[in-house]
Amino acid sequence: MKSKSLKLMCILAHPDDESLATGGILAKYAAAGVQTYLVMATRGERGWTGPVQDYPGPQALGRLREAELRAAAHVLRLREVIFLDYQDGDLDQADPTEGVGKIAAQIRRLRPEVIVTLDPTGIYGHPDHIAISQLATSAVLAAADPNYFIPTGDLPHRTAKLYYRTFVPAEQAAYEAAFGPLTMAVDGFERRFTAWPQWAITTRIDTSAYWEQVWQAIECHCSQLPGYQKLKALPDDYYANLWGTQTFYRAMSLVNGGREVEQDLFAGLRDLAQPPMLFYLAQSLVGDMS
Ligand SMILES: [Zn+2]
């Protein structure tokens, strides 16, 4: 597998999203030699799980959670973590032009073939998750547009594939067995965990060999662990559902399509990493002319 030059970028909202939602693919593709990058919108400054009176404040918690994320990134063998410096809970009120520009700048600098973000329902309607999905999708378009200007000096970059991480009913069952119904009240409405139907899944990645590494990454998020231990305590039956497979919706692809379910986020790109003979011929012709 010639994957040395391939790059995967995850664009997510909170420290721990990377391990819980995409830990399996980050570990798997890093092990296969893919360069993996993480763009993180916030430092999770409002994610305090201890007694209210002990909350250290947003800045101190943000520093702590950044350190936890960097430890998890080391476990997952990420090449680089980039923070966008938004406040936890405020991402859907951020200036969208600025947000798209910040992400597009990273896409143009790092030039990934594949980008993964959260699905447009925000897993359970979390406004930050929905916002990062929208901002990342827009940034993929902006980064490719030669008329879109950001003062970084990097050339436009056309990302070949964009995926939404989808959660399926089996994962919902596992999470709700641990935590009870996952809901969130927003604007007077109760939002619930929204599992994707099996038929809508375009891509299934076998991550079963990496669950111990993923769990090690999750355990780096010490400030959040009281909740996660419930996941670890689930009966074995749930383990395969939680860690065995990660599923995705291929929102955009310039290299493949159709109904066949993919087993590789880089499907359609592997051949491009090994250019056909015609490519070499064309190159040598150009070389002769210059
Ligand atoms: Zn999150």
Side-chain angles (χ1 to χ4, degrees), residues 13-14 16-17 118 124 126 129:
H14 312 108
D16 77 9
D17 290 346
L118 298 175
Y124 48 94
H126 193 308
H129 292 170

Side-chain angles (χ1 to χ4, degrees), residues 12-18 20-21 40 42 65 88 118 122-124 126 128-129 132 228:
L12 305 170
H14 312 108
D16 77 9
D17 290 346
E18 84 297 333
L20 288 168
M40 187 57 79
T42 81
R65 294 198 67 187
D88 184 5
L118 298 175
I123 310 171
Y124 48 94
H126 193 308
D128 281 350
H129 292 170
I132 198 65
Y228 300 156

Side-chain angles (χ1 to χ4, degrees), residues 53-209:
Q53 65 272 18
D54 295 340
Y55 178 48
Q59 281 197 333
L61 184 58
R63 278 195 298 274
L64 172 66
R65 294 198 67 187
E66 176 177 343
E68 292 173 350
L69 173 57
R70 291 198 185 279
H74 183 71
V75 171
L76 295 171
R77 297 175 56 199
L78 274 154
R79 283 220 160 199
E80 189 179 338
V81 178
I82 301 104
F83 285 96
L84 299 180
D85 299 326
Y86 287 108
Q87 281 283 312
D88 184 5
D90 291 347
L91 193 57
D92 67 341
Q93 289 141 58
D95 175 354
T97 307
E98 180 197 82
V100 169
K102 282 183 172 188
I103 300 170
Q106 298 305 326
I107 295 172
R108 284 185 175 179
R109 181 173 72 87
L110 295 167
R111 316 185 81 74
E113 287 85 7
V114 173
I115 290 182
V116 172
T117 187
L118 298 175
D119 81 284
T121 72
I123 310 171
Y124 48 94
H126 193 308
D128 281 350
H129 292 170
I130 294 170
I132 198 65
S133 183
Q134 293 182 359
L135 293 170
T137 303
S138 305
V140 166
L141 294 175
D145 183 350
N147 294 317
Y148 178 79
F149 177 74
I150 32 174
T152 63
D154 293 313
L155 291 171
H157 174 69
R158 208 169 48 174
T159 304
K161 304 180 86 174
L162 170 68
Y163 287 96
Y164 297 140
R165 169 69 162 98
T166 51
F167 285 80
V168 292
E171 284 170 290
Q172 179 177 7
Y175 273 100
E176 297 201 333
F179 302 122
L182 283 172
T183 63
M184 192 167 190
V186 181
D187 299 334
F189 288 93
E190 187 186 73
R191 300 183 178 188
R192 290 181 155 263
F193 198 110
T194 309
W196 283 59
Q198 296 284 357
W199 57 259
I201 302 302
T202 63
T203 311
R204 291 176 194 282
I205 309 296
D206 180 355
T207 52
S208 54

